[in-house]
PDB file of all heavy atoms in Angstrom:
ATOM      1  N   THR A   1       0.788  -1.141  -0.045  1.00 91.00           N
ATOM      2  CA  THR A   1      -0.018   0.009   0.025  1.00 91.00           C
ATOM      3  C   THR A   1       0.869   1.190   0.000  1.00 91.00           C
ATOM      4  O   THR A   1       2.142   1.155  -0.004  1.00 91.00           O
ATOM      5  CB  THR A   1      -0.995  -0.057   1.250  1.00 91.00           C
ATOM      6  OG1 THR A   1      -2.018   1.084   0.998  1.00 91.00           O
ATOM      7  CG2 THR A   1      -0.261   0.226   2.530  1.00 91.00           C
ATOM      8  N   THR A   2       0.337   2.431  -0.073  1.00 92.00           N
ATOM      9  CA  THR A   2       1.130   3.619  -0.077  1.00 92.00           C
ATOM     10  C   THR A   2       0.577   4.578   0.849  1.00 92.00           C
ATOM     11  O   THR A   2      -0.440   4.535   1.368  1.00 92.00           O
ATOM     12  CB  THR A   2       1.079   4.297  -1.529  1.00 92.00           C
ATOM     13  OG1 THR A   2      -0.351   4.520  -1.845  1.00 92.00           O
ATOM     14  CG2 THR A   2       1.551   3.304  -2.693  1.00 92.00           C
ATOM     15  N   GLY A   3       1.449   5.602   1.079  1.00 93.00           N
ATOM     16  CA  GLY A   3       1.001   6.820   1.993  1.00 93.00           C
ATOM     17  C   GLY A   3       2.235   7.711   2.188  1.00 93.00           C
ATOM     18  O   GLY A   3       3.172   7.640   1.574  1.00 93.00           O
ATOM     19  N   ARG A   4       2.135   8.495   3.281  1.00 96.00           N
ATOM     20  CA  ARG A   4       3.227   9.374   3.632  1.00 96.00           C
ATOM     21  C   ARG A   4       4.256   8.652   4.451  1.00 96.00           C
ATOM     22  O   ARG A   4       3.912   7.611   5.127  1.00 96.00           O
ATOM     23  CB  ARG A   4       2.694  10.518   4.550  1.00 96.00           C
ATOM     24  CG  ARG A   4       1.772  11.475   3.721  1.00 96.00           C
ATOM     25  CD  ARG A   4       1.239  12.685   4.680  1.00 96.00           C
ATOM     26  NE  ARG A   4       0.598  12.273   5.723  1.00 96.00           N
ATOM     27  CZ  ARG A   4       1.074  12.299   7.039  1.00 96.00           C
ATOM     28  NH1 ARG A   4       2.211  12.701   7.232  1.00 96.00           N
ATOM     29  NH2 ARG A   4       0.273  11.880   8.075  1.00 96.00           N
ATOM     30  N   CYS A   5       5.493   8.938   4.297  1.00 97.00           N
ATOM     31  CA  CYS A   5       6.579   8.236   5.049  1.00 97.00           C
ATOM     32  C   CYS A   5       6.371   8.319   6.456  1.00 97.00           C
ATOM     33  O   CYS A   5       6.625   7.386   7.154  1.00 97.00           O
ATOM     34  CB  CYS A   5       7.996   8.827   4.676  1.00 97.00           C
ATOM     35  SG  CYS A   5       8.415   8.650   2.917  1.00 97.00           S
ATOM     36  N   ALA A   6       5.782   9.379   6.938  1.00 95.00           N
ATOM     37  CA  ALA A   6       5.576   9.529   8.414  1.00 95.00           C
ATOM     38  C   ALA A   6       4.496   8.596   8.894  1.00 95.00           C
ATOM     39  O   ALA A   6       4.380   8.429  10.148  1.00 95.00           O
ATOM     40  CB  ALA A   6       5.125  11.004   8.614  1.00 95.00           C
ATOM     41  N   GLU A   7       3.746   7.895   8.033  1.00 95.00           N
ATOM     42  CA  GLU A   7       2.700   6.938   8.493  1.00 95.00           C
ATOM     43  C   GLU A   7       3.209   5.566   8.576  1.00 95.00           C
ATOM     44  O   GLU A   7       2.419   4.681   8.933  1.00 95.00           O
ATOM     45  CB  GLU A   7       1.611   7.003   7.384  1.00 95.00           C
ATOM     46  CG  GLU A   7       0.859   8.357   7.291  1.00 95.00           C
ATOM     47  CD  GLU A   7      -0.124   8.447   6.075  1.00 95.00           C
ATOM     48  OE1 GLU A   7       0.004   7.639   5.172  1.00 95.00           O
ATOM     49  OE2 GLU A   7      -0.920   9.281   6.171  1.00 95.00           O
ATOM     50  N   ALA A   8       4.571   5.405   8.506  1.00 96.00           N
ATOM     51  CA  ALA A   8       5.127   3.991   8.575  1.00 96.00           C
ATOM     52  C   ALA A   8       4.746   3.229   9.888  1.00 96.00           C
ATOM     53  O   ALA A   8       4.682   2.096  10.056  1.00 96.00           O
ATOM     54  CB  ALA A   8       6.643   4.094   8.442  1.00 96.00           C
ATOM     55  N   CYS A   9       4.514   4.038  11.053  1.00 95.00           N
ATOM     56  CA  CYS A   9       4.294   3.428  12.306  1.00 95.00           C
ATOM     57  C   CYS A   9       2.813   3.470  12.639  1.00 95.00           C
ATOM     58  O   CYS A   9       2.464   3.129  13.774  1.00 95.00           O
ATOM     59  CB  CYS A   9       5.048   4.352  13.323  1.00 95.00           C
ATOM     60  SG  CYS A   9       6.718   4.712  13.010  1.00 95.00           S
ATOM     61  N   ASP A  10       2.016   3.787  11.707  1.00 94.00           N
ATOM     62  CA  ASP A  10       0.553   3.933  11.962  1.00 94.00           C
ATOM     63  C   ASP A  10      -0.143   2.611  11.829  1.00 94.00           C
ATOM     64  O   ASP A  10      -1.351   2.466  12.081  1.00 94.00           O
ATOM     65  CB  ASP A  10      -0.144   4.959  11.163  1.00 94.00           C
ATOM     66  CG  ASP A  10       0.332   6.479  11.437  1.00 94.00           C
ATOM     67  OD1 ASP A  10       1.038   6.531  12.462  1.00 94.00           O
ATOM     68  OD2 ASP A  10       0.011   7.382  10.592  1.00 94.00           O
ATOM     69  N   PHE A  11       0.410   1.645  11.275  1.00 91.00           N
ATOM     70  CA  PHE A  11      -0.266   0.269  10.982  1.00 91.00           C
ATOM     71  C   PHE A  11      -0.133  -0.596  12.255  1.00 91.00           C
ATOM     72  O   PHE A  11       0.693  -0.413  13.112  1.00 91.00           O
ATOM     73  CB  PHE A  11       0.451  -0.339   9.842  1.00 91.00           C
ATOM     74  CG  PHE A  11       0.439   0.353   8.549  1.00 91.00           C
ATOM     75  CD1 PHE A  11       1.643   1.097   8.128  1.00 91.00           C
ATOM     76  CD2 PHE A  11      -0.571   0.296   7.646  1.00 91.00           C
ATOM     77  CE1 PHE A  11       1.627   1.834   6.955  1.00 91.00           C
ATOM     78  CE2 PHE A  11      -0.604   0.940   6.479  1.00 91.00           C
ATOM     79  CZ  PHE A  11       0.524   1.825   6.035  1.00 91.00           C
ATOM     80  N   ALA A  12      -0.877  -1.643  12.404  1.00 90.00           N
ATOM     81  CA  ALA A  12      -0.885  -2.512  13.485  1.00 90.00           C
ATOM     82  C   ALA A  12       0.438  -3.308  13.520  1.00 90.00           C
ATOM     83  O   ALA A  12       0.880  -3.760  14.589  1.00 90.00           O
ATOM     84  CB  ALA A  12      -2.073  -3.553  13.416  1.00 90.00           C
ATOM     85  N   VAL A  13       1.046  -3.443  12.306  1.00 92.00           N
ATOM     86  CA  VAL A  13       2.321  -4.103  12.261  1.00 92.00           C
ATOM     87  C   VAL A  13       3.272  -3.242  11.349  1.00 92.00           C
ATOM     88  O   VAL A  13       2.797  -2.471  10.580  1.00 92.00           O
ATOM     89  CB  VAL A  13       2.347  -5.533  11.543  1.00 92.00           C
ATOM     90  CG1 VAL A  13       1.576  -6.420  12.604  1.00 92.00           C
ATOM     91  CG2 VAL A  13       1.491  -5.472  10.292  1.00 92.00           C
ATOM     92  N   ASN A  14       4.594  -3.331  11.537  1.00 93.00           N
ATOM     93  CA  ASN A  14       5.462  -2.542  10.810  1.00 93.00           C
ATOM     94  C   ASN A  14       5.624  -3.117   9.221  1.00 93.00           C
ATOM     95  O   ASN A  14       5.555  -4.348   9.226  1.00 93.00           O
ATOM     96  CB  ASN A  14       6.895  -2.392  11.462  1.00 93.00           C
ATOM     97  CG  ASN A  14       6.886  -1.650  12.749  1.00 93.00           C
ATOM     98  OD1 ASN A  14       7.511  -2.264  13.660  1.00 93.00           O
ATOM     99  ND2 ASN A  14       6.115  -0.605  12.817  1.00 93.00           N
ATOM    100  N   PRO A  15       5.791  -2.202   8.393  1.00 95.00           N
ATOM    101  CA  PRO A  15       6.071  -2.749   6.962  1.00 95.00           C
ATOM    102  C   PRO A  15       7.335  -3.557   7.012  1.00 95.00           C
ATOM    103  O   PRO A  15       8.358  -3.352   7.733  1.00 95.00           O
ATOM    104  CB  PRO A  15       6.338  -1.520   6.189  1.00 95.00           C
ATOM    105  CG  PRO A  15       5.668  -0.424   6.952  1.00 95.00           C
ATOM    106  CD  PRO A  15       5.845  -0.737   8.428  1.00 95.00           C
ATOM    107  N   THR A  16       7.404  -4.592   6.234  1.00 96.00           N
ATOM    108  CA  THR A  16       8.585  -5.445   5.969  1.00 96.00           C
ATOM    109  C   THR A  16       9.675  -4.596   5.253  1.00 96.00           C
ATOM    110  O   THR A  16      10.789  -4.768   5.593  1.00 96.00           O
ATOM    111  CB  THR A  16       8.290  -6.762   5.381  1.00 96.00           C
ATOM    112  OG1 THR A  16       7.242  -7.366   5.947  1.00 96.00           O
ATOM    113  CG2 THR A  16       9.542  -7.632   5.301  1.00 96.00           C
ATOM    114  N   MET A  17       9.146  -3.893   4.278  1.00 97.00           N
ATOM    115  CA  MET A  17      10.032  -3.001   3.588  1.00 97.00           C
ATOM    116  C   MET A  17       9.257  -1.673   3.360  1.00 97.00           C
ATOM    117  O   MET A  17       8.032  -1.744   3.019  1.00 97.00           O
ATOM    118  CB  MET A  17      10.433  -3.623   2.254  1.00 97.00           C
ATOM    119  CG  MET A  17      11.238  -4.742   2.335  1.00 97.00           C
ATOM    120  SD  MET A  17      11.795  -5.399   0.637  1.00 97.00           S
ATOM    121  CE  MET A  17      12.065  -7.107   0.898  1.00 97.00           C
ATOM    122  N   TRP A  18       9.946  -0.496   3.432  1.00 97.00           N
ATOM    123  CA  TRP A  18       9.232   0.652   3.027  1.00 97.00           C
ATOM    124  C   TRP A  18      10.369   1.709   2.418  1.00 97.00           C
ATOM    125  O   TRP A  18      11.505   1.684   2.853  1.00 97.00           O
ATOM    126  CB  TRP A  18       8.506   1.351   4.093  1.00 97.00           C
ATOM    127  CG  TRP A  18       9.066   1.338   5.470  1.00 97.00           C
ATOM    128  CD1 TRP A  18       9.436   0.328   6.291  1.00 97.00           C
ATOM    129  CD2 TRP A  18       9.448   2.587   6.228  1.00 97.00           C
ATOM    130  NE1 TRP A  18       9.950   0.774   7.448  1.00 97.00           N
ATOM    131  CE2 TRP A  18       9.909   2.122   7.450  1.00 97.00           C
ATOM    132  CE3 TRP A  18       9.374   4.007   5.877  1.00 97.00           C
ATOM    133  CZ2 TRP A  18      10.280   3.052   8.440  1.00 97.00           C
ATOM    134  CZ3 TRP A  18       9.762   4.825   6.905  1.00 97.00           C
ATOM    135  CH2 TRP A  18      10.248   4.392   8.098  1.00 97.00           C
ATOM    136  N   TRP A  19       9.945   2.394   1.400  1.00 97.00           N
ATOM    137  CA  TRP A  19      10.823   3.368   0.746  1.00 97.00           C
ATOM    138  C   TRP A  19       9.980   4.496   0.066  1.00 97.00           C
ATOM    139  O   TRP A  19       8.840   4.239  -0.293  1.00 97.00           O
ATOM    140  CB  TRP A  19      11.697   2.547  -0.300  1.00 97.00           C
ATOM    141  CG  TRP A  19      10.935   1.960  -1.478  1.00 97.00           C
ATOM    142  CD1 TRP A  19      10.740   2.642  -2.647  1.00 97.00           C
ATOM    143  CD2 TRP A  19      10.393   0.785  -1.540  1.00 97.00           C
ATOM    144  NE1 TRP A  19      10.033   1.796  -3.493  1.00 97.00           N
ATOM    145  CE2 TRP A  19       9.724   0.620  -2.803  1.00 97.00           C
ATOM    146  CE3 TRP A  19      10.253  -0.396  -0.645  1.00 97.00           C
ATOM    147  CZ2 TRP A  19       8.995  -0.576  -3.179  1.00 97.00           C
ATOM    148  CZ3 TRP A  19       9.552  -1.415  -0.979  1.00 97.00           C
ATOM    149  CH2 TRP A  19       8.924  -1.584  -2.284  1.00 97.00           C
ATOM    150  N   PRO A  20      10.627   5.699  -0.063  1.00 97.00           N
ATOM    151  CA  PRO A  20       9.900   6.682  -0.841  1.00 97.00           C
ATOM    152  C   PRO A  20       9.968   6.520  -2.357  1.00 97.00           C
ATOM    153  O   PRO A  20      10.820   5.805  -2.799  1.00 97.00           O
ATOM    154  CB  PRO A  20      10.680   7.993  -0.311  1.00 97.00           C
ATOM    155  CG  PRO A  20      12.096   7.477  -0.127  1.00 97.00           C
ATOM    156  CD  PRO A  20      11.900   6.084   0.377  1.00 97.00           C
ATOM    157  N   SER A  21       9.083   7.195  -3.099  1.00 95.00           N
ATOM    158  CA  SER A  21       9.005   6.990  -4.501  1.00 95.00           C
ATOM    159  C   SER A  21      10.353   7.435  -5.189  1.00 95.00           C
ATOM    160  O   SER A  21      10.491   6.911  -6.271  1.00 95.00           O
ATOM    161  CB  SER A  21       7.841   7.604  -5.088  1.00 95.00           C
ATOM    162  OG  SER A  21       7.912   9.006  -4.959  1.00 95.00           O
ATOM    163  N   ASP A  22      11.116   8.315  -4.541  1.00 96.00           N
ATOM    164  CA  ASP A  22      12.358   8.666  -5.313  1.00 96.00           C
ATOM    165  C   ASP A  22      13.434   7.761  -4.939  1.00 96.00           C
ATOM    166  O   ASP A  22      14.589   7.861  -5.293  1.00 96.00           O
ATOM    167  CB  ASP A  22      12.730  10.222  -4.905  1.00 96.00           C
ATOM    168  CG  ASP A  22      13.117  10.370  -3.388  1.00 96.00           C
ATOM    169  OD1 ASP A  22      12.998   9.390  -2.604  1.00 96.00           O
ATOM    170  OD2 ASP A  22      13.489  11.470  -3.026  1.00 96.00           O
ATOM    171  N   ARG A  23      13.228   6.786  -4.140  1.00 97.00           N
ATOM    172  CA  ARG A  23      14.152   5.712  -3.790  1.00 97.00           C
ATOM    173  C   ARG A  23      15.386   6.195  -3.261  1.00 97.00           C
ATOM    174  O   ARG A  23      16.472   5.712  -3.434  1.00 97.00           O
ATOM    175  CB  ARG A  23      14.418   4.766  -4.968  1.00 97.00           C
ATOM    176  CG  ARG A  23      13.265   3.794  -5.327  1.00 97.00           C
ATOM    177  CD  ARG A  23      13.272   3.212  -6.584  1.00 97.00           C
ATOM    178  NE  ARG A  23      14.496   2.779  -7.298  1.00 97.00           N
ATOM    179  CZ  ARG A  23      14.484   2.149  -8.440  1.00 97.00           C
ATOM    180  NH1 ARG A  23      13.407   1.957  -9.056  1.00 97.00           N
ATOM    181  NH2 ARG A  23      15.669   1.908  -8.938  1.00 97.00           N
ATOM    182  N   SER A  24      15.269   7.244  -2.266  1.00 98.00           N
ATOM    183  CA  SER A  24      16.420   7.768  -1.640  1.00 98.00           C
ATOM    184  C   SER A  24      16.904   6.858  -0.528  1.00 98.00           C
ATOM    185  O   SER A  24      18.121   7.038  -0.101  1.00 98.00           O
ATOM    186  CB  SER A  24      16.210   9.157  -1.187  1.00 98.00           C
ATOM    187  OG  SER A  24      14.984   9.261  -0.488  1.00 98.00           O
ATOM    188  N   TRP A  25      16.128   6.025  -0.058  1.00 98.00           N
ATOM    189  CA  TRP A  25      16.459   5.064   1.017  1.00 98.00           C
ATOM    190  C   TRP A  25      15.500   3.896   1.010  1.00 98.00           C
ATOM    191  O   TRP A  25      14.459   3.983   0.418  1.00 98.00           O
ATOM    192  CB  TRP A  25      16.594   5.721   2.428  1.00 98.00           C
ATOM    193  CG  TRP A  25      15.540   6.667   2.739  1.00 98.00           C
ATOM    194  CD1 TRP A  25      15.453   8.030   2.659  1.00 98.00           C
ATOM    195  CD2 TRP A  25      14.141   6.285   3.138  1.00 98.00           C
ATOM    196  NE1 TRP A  25      14.286   8.528   2.966  1.00 98.00           N
ATOM    197  CE2 TRP A  25      13.437   7.519   3.255  1.00 98.00           C
ATOM    198  CE3 TRP A  25      13.545   5.093   3.471  1.00 98.00           C
ATOM    199  CZ2 TRP A  25      12.092   7.565   3.722  1.00 98.00           C
ATOM    200  CZ3 TRP A  25      12.163   5.164   3.945  1.00 98.00           C
ATOM    201  CH2 TRP A  25      11.408   6.395   3.982  1.00 98.00           C
ATOM    202  N   ILE A  26      15.891   2.844   1.799  1.00 98.00           N
ATOM    203  CA  ILE A  26      14.915   1.868   2.038  1.00 98.00           C
ATOM    204  C   ILE A  26      15.152   1.111   3.294  1.00 98.00           C
ATOM    205  O   ILE A  26      16.267   1.125   3.833  1.00 98.00           O
ATOM    206  CB  ILE A  26      15.072   0.642   0.919  1.00 98.00           C
ATOM    207  CG1 ILE A  26      13.938  -0.437   0.967  1.00 98.00           C
ATOM    208  CG2 ILE A  26      16.484   0.052   1.029  1.00 98.00           C
ATOM    209  CD1 ILE A  26      13.965  -1.376  -0.193  1.00 98.00           C
TER     210      ILE A  26
END
């Protein structure tokens, strides 16, 4: 799914992987 980077902690579980669309980090 997608969203704002600041929302990474808003899920019941953490993403296994997450990165911004400009791929500046992962």
